[in-house]
Amino acid sequence: MIEFAAITAVISKYAPQASQIIIKQAQKNEAVIKVLQELKLNPTQIPDDVDTVYVYALVRYGIFKPDAILNLFRERVIKDYFWDAYSNNTPSKFVENTKKFLNQNSELKTQIINTKINFLGELEEFGEVFIVVAKQTRASRYQPYPDWNLDVYPKEFKALIFEKTRLFCGRDFVFKAIQKFFTTQPKGYFTVVGDAGMGKSAIAAKYILATKVPCYFNVFAEGRNKPEKFLASIRQQLIKRYSLQNADNTDLRTLLQKASEELKGQKIVIVVDALDEVEQEGNSNLLDLPQNLPDGVYFLLTRRPYNQTTKRLNLSPDTPVNELDLTKSDFTVLNREDVKEYIYLFLQQ
């Protein structure tokens, strides 16, 4: 019988929890290979029995993850819950059973809460990794592959997020600037500015994939670029995430205030991509973004370069704001290095 605890111990040895939000794919791949070698497992030839596939999935998923979440997935009963839900295409049942397990294990539940991770997002990510490994075996027992969707991301943006991040690399300087702003300011707006093709949407998608925060992508071609659609989507995400009551018809400012009251020391980051594609009459802030924000609430925005007449983000003096303009000469060398890294990764893939 495979001891899952031994697996997570090796993961923690070679790939302990990372301090940075975004980890380079090359680093992850290297760590996965080291862990598999330590466990005497072949990185490419995967046996098709369920326990072994679970181990491979746990290694790929668990690289640089907090010990608390690894301690959850190493429990054999969690593996059994997962396989039952996978076999019956009922991912929600896995969530339900896992929550029941944690309610009976208060110490582990406290550890997971203290990590301040998106619990639902981690369960979804593990399931998706398991499906990738299962497909590599080509074994019939894993087919048909379930729709492992736990509504962590809005369904209308899920394909876009994964496509934008499929060959993502670089942009470390952008994520460091974002994280510095979010950790040094009590609240505020951070905007990434860049020309078409500079990877603004990919940056937004990568941040969302890594942090599993609420998000909205303005897509002009699909008509997803109006304030009412933005509000409806963000409202639904925040109500579900923070179990907000009596918020079905609240405006954005009130919604953010309600959510901030549920923070308990955490932060809310909302990612909004392509502000320049918003279609909105009048002179108010685009998407009616509030001039002031409650403490602990942040927006990460992306858009093309603009002048002051099209910017339409008027904020109160006490609302922190920062911009990173990818078109500036300060970032020419860094942009060039990221292009080189992308070409190398593209050719490898």
Side-chain angles (χ1 to χ4, degrees):
M1 179 179 292
I2 296 176
E3 291 293 335
F4 297 138
I7 309 299
T8 57
V10 177
I11 294 173
S12 297
K13 174 183 175 182
Y14 286 100
Q17 179 180 359
S19 57
Q20 67 268 44
I21 292 178
I22 309 296
I23 308 295
K24 288 186 177 182
Q25 190 60 47
Q27 290 177 278
K28 290 185 178 181
N29 293 342
E30 183 179 352
V32 167
I33 291 173
K34 285 182 177 179
V35 172
L36 292 175
Q37 288 175 338
E38 177 79 7
L39 297 171
K40 296 181 171 52
L41 296 172
N42 190 308
T44 57
Q45 297 179 359
I46 305 173
D48 66 2
D49 64 284
V50 176
D51 276 11
T52 305
V53 171
Y54 188 87
V55 167
Y56 275 82
L58 184 54
V59 170
R60 293 190 186 184
Y61 160 81
I63 296 300
F64 303 121
K65 292 288 187 179
D67 285 340
I69 197 69
L70 295 180
N71 291 341
L72 173 68
F73 281 111
R74 76 183 188 184
E75 295 288 339
R76 183 158 289 275
V77 66
I78 296 299
K79 175 260 168 183
D80 292 338
Y81 287 153
F82 173 81
W83 180 241
D84 178 68
Y86 182 100
S87 302
N88 294 288
N89 195 9
T90 54
S92 59
K93 187 176 179 182
F94 179 53
V95 176
E96 180 183 339
N97 286 334
T98 302
K99 286 182 177 179
K100 288 180 181 177
F101 173 83
L102 287 174
N103 288 335
Q104 297 168 359
N105 295 267
S106 57
E107 183 177 350
L108 180 55
K109 182 178 181 179
T110 300
Q111 291 175 7
I112 290 177
I113 291 173
N114 289 341
T115 61
K116 298 181 180 179
I117 60 175
N118 184 319
F119 172 71
L120 199 63
E122 298 301 322
L123 299 190
E124 178 168 308
E125 182 180 341
F126 178 82
E128 289 168 343
V129 172
F130 185 94
I131 292 171
V132 170
V133 177
K135 287 180 177 179
Q136 284 187 261
T137 70
R138 295 189 173 89
S140 59
R141 73 175 66 188
Y142 300 107
Q143 302 175 20
Y145 305 112
D147 178 16
W148 201 262
N149 185 0
L150 302 181
D151 293 332
V152 176
Y153 318 99
K155 290 182 180 179
E156 63 266 34
F157 303 131
K158 192 168 184 178
L160 184 154
I161 290 170
F162 284 98
E163 176 58 30
K164 290 289 184 181
T165 56
R166 187 172 61 86
L167 288 176
F168 188 93
C169 64
R171 294 318 198 194
D172 292 354
F173 69 98
V174 179
F175 295 119
K176 286 178 181 177
I178 293 170
Q179 192 59 16
K180 181 179 179 182
F181 180 81
F182 290 164
T183 54
T184 58
Q185 300 296 336
K187 58 185 176 181
Y189 289 90
F190 188 100
T191 305
V192 177
V193 180
D195 288 326
M198 296 193 78
K200 302 181 300 299
S201 295
I203 289 169
K206 186 65 174 179
Y207 188 89
I208 294 162
L209 196 63
T211 58
K212 301 162 181 74
V213 295
C215 63
Y216 192 83
F217 288 80
N218 290 288
V219 185
F220 177 80
E222 298 177 5
R224 302 184 193 276
N225 61 338
K226 297 178 175 59
E228 58 272 20
K229 292 190 175 183
F230 163 74
L231 177 57
S233 177
I234 293 300
R235 181 192 288 134
Q236 184 181 34
Q237 293 178 64
L238 292 180
I239 288 175
K240 183 172 183 178
R241 186 173 297 238
Y242 297 103
S243 301
L244 303 182
Q245 303 297 317
N246 302 317
D248 292 339
N249 297 302
T250 52
D251 58 36
L252 182 59
R253 186 191 303 274
T254 306
L255 195 66
L256 294 175
Q257 183 60 47
K258 283 177 172 285
S260 70
E261 293 168 0
E262 303 294 329
L263 287 181
K264 300 176 182 177
Q266 299 186 53
K267 297 178 179 180
I268 299 175
V269 177
I270 299 175
V271 178
V272 184
D273 180 57
L275 271 186
D276 53 282
E277 295 196 21
V278 173
E279 184 178 311
Q280 179 177 344
E281 297 179 355
N283 296 314
S284 60
N285 280 349
L286 291 174
L287 301 179
D288 296 321
L289 295 173
Q291 293 189 10
N292 200 355
L293 298 172
D295 285 347
V297 176
Y298 304 82
F299 277 86
L300 171 57
L301 312 173
T302 75
R303 65 170 300 153
R304 295 185 186 184
Y306 45 72
N307 55 47
Q308 290 304 312
T309 60
T310 60
K311 181 178 180 179
R312 291 179 63 176
L313 185 62
N314 299 310
L315 305 176
S316 63
D318 64 340
T319 300
V321 60
N322 197 5
E323 291 180 359
L324 189 153
D325 190 342
L326 294 170
T327 66
K328 287 188 175 180
S329 58
D330 306 27
F331 304 119
T332 300
V333 174
L334 294 172
N335 284 329
R336 185 181 299 120
E337 291 303 313
D338 284 347
V339 170
K340 289 180 180 178
E341 185 177 348
Y342 176 80
I343 292 173
Y344 179 73
L345 178 62
F346 181 84
L347 292 175
Q348 279 189 318
Q349 296 298 320

